[in-house]
Amino acid sequence: MAWTFRCSRTTSPGQLSTSPCRTTSSRSSPTMSCHASAASGPSTSTTISSLPRLSVAPQFLPRSLRVADLAANQVTEIFPLTFGEKPALRSVYLHNNQLSNAGLPPDAFHGSEAVVILSLSSNRLSYLPPSLPPSLERLHLQNNLISKVPRGALSRQTHLRELYLQHNQLTDSGLDATTFSKLHHLEYLDLSHNRLASVPAGLPRTLALLHLGRNRIRRVEAARLRGARGLRYLLLQHNQLGATGLPAGALRPLRGLHTLHLYGNGLARVPLALPRRLRALVLPHNHVTTLGARDLAGTPGLAELNLAYNRLVSARVHRRAFRPLRALRSLDLAGNLLTRLPGGLPGGLHTLRLQRNQLRALEPEPLAGLDQLRELSLAHNRLRVGDIGPGTWHELQALQVLDLSHNELSFVPPDLPEALEELHLQGNRISHVGPEAFLSTPRLRALFLRANRLHMTSIAPDAFLGLLHLSVVDTAGNPEQVLVRLPHATPRQPRAGSPRAWRGPAV
């Protein structure tokens, strides 16, 4: 007969338990419910209600126990036979307690060789506990006070696949070259939000994701990554990588790297000699000022490039900088200092973000050939209708979303793309919408005109004629309420309760 033991704090309506396992609700003050239930055989369950949170774990639990949930209590002490000598035990949840290392005996899991999930997160552990079950596959230790992993503490956990150590106090001296070297099945390692100054040594080759965000790493050395040749995702955001923090070739051992996150560092240029198979490079909020003709040539397989909120100026972006990226589908250049569209954009682009730059003109040439572009954001620039050259939108045959909000447009730009479904014009200077404004956009579904200079009769009665798919027209925040007449979607009579074709004054 297999047993499950749950002792979790119940909550009143509106409160959420921090335990991932079963809780009960009560209309009165918070109480504790402990459940010991058998998985088969006659009903053998007990319930103890109206108890305070547990501060000490039960000394003895059934030998056939399979799942133990003591999460969200105030447990400070575990006994040898609380979880020890339980050959069927598979999962133990002890997160959100008050456990220190003194409260976890060395033989806490002796004789329990089948435990695959152990959650000790959000406790008061100062070092990684020794003598953990060798059968572990997932170990949660985040949100503790861990500053050290003792030598050999993880030498027996050769089946471990996921290790969570984020939000601790780990420094370089708290790890050594053998800390992770025996974890021959480790795939996921989260060391973010610690105090590491360098990439840990001895990383296993099975590792697929390494999260090192929000540490104090100043430089990445190739030698530290040589063992992790199977790495697919490397997250280094919010560290202290400066101009020389990622030297050329530092990531060369990671031949299969798919995604590299470098958000919020101090890099002055795109790192050189990146892995050739890289698919996503995320580099916003750095100090990149220049894109040379060959800076991206080594990563022809890039599908996503994010250079938002750097310091790029048009004069320092080479006209062939993006040409090698034939697989590129998403390009984010928002929040830079660009005054014109970059040239040589790959024809396979689906998304192009250029909001919050200093664009003053749009010409057809940079957008030529972008016949697969579906989303274009030009919000928060300095564009006027007269600055948009004739034929600018001509080749954007697949464009569905166009954001021209928060510019200096005085009327709806003419000859918009035929495939357009969503048009953002809010925050401009538009005071009139004529009857021919949307003749070129028969598929338009949503139109945003809020915070312009529109008055009650500023929109011509026939402005939306033929727009059978139009269902949203947002005119809030104008000087007056605006009369909006939407066309009938179909010739049939609307069903009871459905929106009317004419919606009266719209705000």
Side-chain angles (χ1 to χ4, degrees):
M1 180 164 45
W3 287 74
T4 297
F5 180 84
R6 289 186 174 89
C7 200
S8 53
R9 190 171 185 243
T10 62
T11 58
S12 59
Q15 291 180 306
L16 293 177
S17 170
T18 53
S19 169
C21 301
R22 185 177 65 188
T23 60
T24 58
S25 61
S26 170
R27 294 182 180 273
S28 58
S29 58
T31 61
M32 173 66 62
S33 295
C34 296
H35 305 271
S37 58
S40 61
S43 175
T44 322
S45 65
T46 61
T47 301
I48 306 172
S49 298
S50 300
L51 291 176
R53 288 186 176 188
L54 292 180
S55 58
V56 178
Q59 292 193 38
F60 303 99
L61 288 173
R63 179 177 172 81
S64 57
L65 191 68
R66 289 179 60 87
V67 178
D69 183 359
L70 287 168
N73 281 283
Q74 295 179 349
V75 175
T76 60
E77 187 175 4
I78 300 295
F79 297 97
L81 291 180
T82 303
F83 305 119
E85 304 300 333
K86 309 288 187 294
L89 188 59
R90 299 277 295 172
S91 306
V92 178
Y93 300 99
L94 283 165
H95 51 279
N96 292 91
N97 277 288
Q98 304 291 324
L99 273 173
S100 64
N101 289 91
L104 199 63
D107 55 351
F109 297 97
H110 182 267
S112 300
E113 307 293 326
V115 179
V116 294
I117 299 174
L118 174 59
S119 179
L120 287 164
S121 59
S122 299
N123 278 282
R124 296 184 175 182
L125 302 174
S126 57
Y127 58 88
L128 194 144
S131 304
L132 294 176
S135 51
L136 280 178
E137 296 181 8
R138 189 193 309 164
L139 176 58
H140 290 267
L141 289 163
Q142 63 266 35
N143 293 301
N144 275 280
L145 306 171
I146 297 173
S147 60
K148 183 178 181 179
V149 179
R151 191 177 183 88
L154 292 170
S155 60
R156 299 190 309 138
Q157 285 69 34
T158 55
H159 298 285
L160 196 63
R161 295 182 180 275
E162 301 175 24
L163 177 56
Y164 300 87
L165 281 164
Q166 67 267 34
H167 289 281
N168 278 287
Q169 299 177 11
L170 286 167
T171 61
D172 290 359
S173 62
L175 306 173
D176 62 39
T178 67
T179 300
F180 307 112
S181 61
K182 302 295 185 182
L183 304 179
H184 301 311
H185 290 89
L186 192 66
E187 299 174 359
Y188 186 105
L189 176 58
D190 193 339
L191 291 165
S192 62
H193 294 268
N194 278 282
R195 302 174 183 177
L196 300 174
S198 59
V199 176
L203 296 171
R205 61 180 178 82
T206 55
L207 199 60
L209 188 148
L210 176 60
H211 196 342
L212 290 168
R214 292 198 180 270
N215 276 279
R216 302 173 182 178
I217 299 173
R218 294 180 177 274
R219 188 176 175 86
V220 176
E221 302 288 349
R224 292 295 180 100
L225 295 168
R226 201 158 283 140
R229 295 186 177 182
L231 201 64
R232 298 270 292 160
Y233 301 90
L234 177 57
L235 313 181
L236 285 163
Q237 61 265 38
H238 292 291
N239 275 280
Q240 299 175 15
L241 298 172
T244 60
L246 203 59
L251 303 182
R252 190 169 289 156
L254 309 179
R255 295 181 179 180
L257 192 66
H258 178 283
T259 298
L260 176 61
H261 273 259
L262 293 165
Y263 185 112
N265 281 279
L267 297 170
R269 64 179 302 169
V270 174
L272 299 177
L274 293 173
R276 190 170 181 83
R277 298 177 186 174
L278 193 67
R279 296 283 290 168
L281 177 58
V282 185
L283 235 170
H285 291 279
N286 277 271
H287 302 157
V288 179
T289 60
T290 303
L291 273 182
R294 303 291 298 169
D295 285 1
L296 298 167
T299 53
L302 269 185
E304 177 188 351
L305 176 59
N306 189 332
L307 288 166
Y309 298 95
N310 277 277
R311 301 175 182 178
L312 290 169
V313 296
S314 293
R316 291 186 155 187
V317 177
H318 198 278
R319 66 182 185 277
R320 292 195 296 270
F322 301 107
R323 189 164 293 174
L325 306 181
R326 296 182 180 180
L328 196 65
R329 297 296 177 263
S330 176
L331 176 60
D332 194 339
L333 295 170
N336 281 280
L337 304 171
L338 302 174
T339 54
R340 62 178 182 269
L341 295 180
L345 296 174
L349 268 182
H350 291 172
T351 303
L352 176 59
R353 296 185 176 94
L354 286 157
Q355 66 267 29
R356 295 187 182 277
N357 276 277
Q358 298 178 10
L359 299 178
R360 296 176 180 271
L362 294 180
E363 297 295 336
E365 184 180 356
L367 297 174
L370 300 185
D371 55 3
Q372 297 182 43
L373 193 66
R374 298 170 187 172
E375 182 179 344
L376 174 59
S377 179
L378 296 164
H380 291 278
N381 279 284
R382 301 180 180 181
L383 295 170
R384 301 181 181 183
V385 174
D387 301 326
I388 302 175
T392 293
W393 319 111
H394 179 68
E395 295 197 35
L396 305 182
Q397 300 172 8
L399 194 67
Q400 297 174 348
V401 180
L402 175 60
D403 192 346
L404 286 164
S405 63
H406 301 283
N407 277 279
E408 300 175 10
L409 304 176
S410 54
F411 56 90
V412 178
D415 301 319
L416 293 171
E418 183 178 349
L420 202 63
E421 296 182 4
E422 188 175 316
L423 177 60
H424 292 261
L425 293 169
Q426 63 267 31
N428 277 281
R429 303 174 181 178
I430 298 172
S431 59
H432 179 72
V433 178
E436 300 180 355
F438 304 108
L439 287 180
S440 64
T441 57
R443 303 178 189 176
L444 196 64
R445 295 178 180 273
L447 173 64
F448 299 90
L449 285 164
R450 68 166 48 212
N452 274 280
R453 300 178 180 179
L454 297 171
H455 293 269
M456 182 176 292
T457 59
S458 293
I459 299 180
D462 297 336
F464 305 134
L465 191 66
L467 303 183
L468 301 182
H469 305 287
L470 188 64
S471 58
V472 175
V473 178
D474 181 2
T475 59
N478 280 281
E480 292 180 3
Q481 288 186 339
V482 182
L483 289 173
V484 175
R485 185 186 296 272
L486 294 182
H488 287 283
T490 66
R492 295 179 297 177
Q493 291 295 323
R495 294 177 296 175
S498 63
R500 293 176 297 169
W502 182 75
R503 301 187 179 180
V507 178

